[in-house]
Amino acid sequence: MQRNRVQIDGHLAKAPRRSKSPAGIPHCQFWLEHVSTQDEANMARQARLRIAVVASGDSLNHQTRELQMGSAVTVTGFLVSHMGRDGLAKTVLHAQHIELLN
């Protein structure tokens, strides 16, 4: 089995957008911004990242109720490539667990 698992801390860069699929599945979408210092080749490197996050389903709907712009969270999930309307692929983190840190 191949692995695709990510865990990252960050802050919501924009207010979350909530919707429901035609099948009634709740979705919460937001942008997560991460800033940290990482060790690379024995040197400190500034790591900055902004990534789209999608949280789907009833259990994640409960985990996202308190989220708002600026909320600090840890998101655990997997990465998927989504094709945008402009024809460009973007990497999206599909959440499996969200922990509110503040």
Side-chain angles (χ1 to χ4, degrees), residues 2 5 7 11-13 16 21 28 31 35 37-38 43 48-49 51-52 60 68 71-73 82 87 89-90 97 100:
Q2 294 187 0
R5 185 151 179 87
Q7 184 174 51
H11 292 84
L12 272 70
S21 73
C28 179
W31 285 92
V35 178
T37 302
Q38 301 294 319
M43 303 216 26
R48 293 180 157 272
L49 170 70
I51 190 166
L60 286 175
Q68 55 187 329
S71 293
V73 295
H82 284 222
K90 72 176 181 178
H97 180 75
L100 186 60

Side-chain angles (χ1 to χ4, degrees), residues 14-85:
K14 292 184 177 183
R17 196 174 82 228
R18 300 175 195 289
S19 62
K20 280 199 176 189
S21 73
I25 298 170
H27 300 287
C28 179
Q29 300 174 349
F30 58 90
W31 285 92
L32 182 74
E33 187 168 79
H34 168 88
V35 178
S36 66
T37 302
Q38 301 294 319
D39 180 53
E40 181 177 38
N42 295 322
M43 303 216 26
R45 178 182 177 136
Q46 187 79 341
R48 293 180 157 272
L49 170 70
R50 186 177 276 202
I51 190 166
V53 178
V54 174
S56 300
D58 289 327
S59 65
L60 286 175
N61 188 42
H62 296 298
Q63 293 177 27
T64 62
R65 282 187 185 165
E66 304 293 321
L67 296 183
Q68 55 187 329
M69 185 173 146
S71 293
V73 295
T74 297
V75 178
T76 305
F78 58 94
L79 298 175
V80 175
S81 181
H82 284 222
M83 191 63 67
R85 292 182 184 145

Side-chain angles (χ1 to χ4, degrees), residues 84-102:
R85 292 182 184 145
D86 57 6
L88 299 174
K90 72 176 181 178
T91 302
V92 177
L93 174 53
H94 281 251
Q96 295 173 307
H97 180 75
I98 298 174
E99 179 184 351
L100 186 60
L101 299 176
N102 58 351

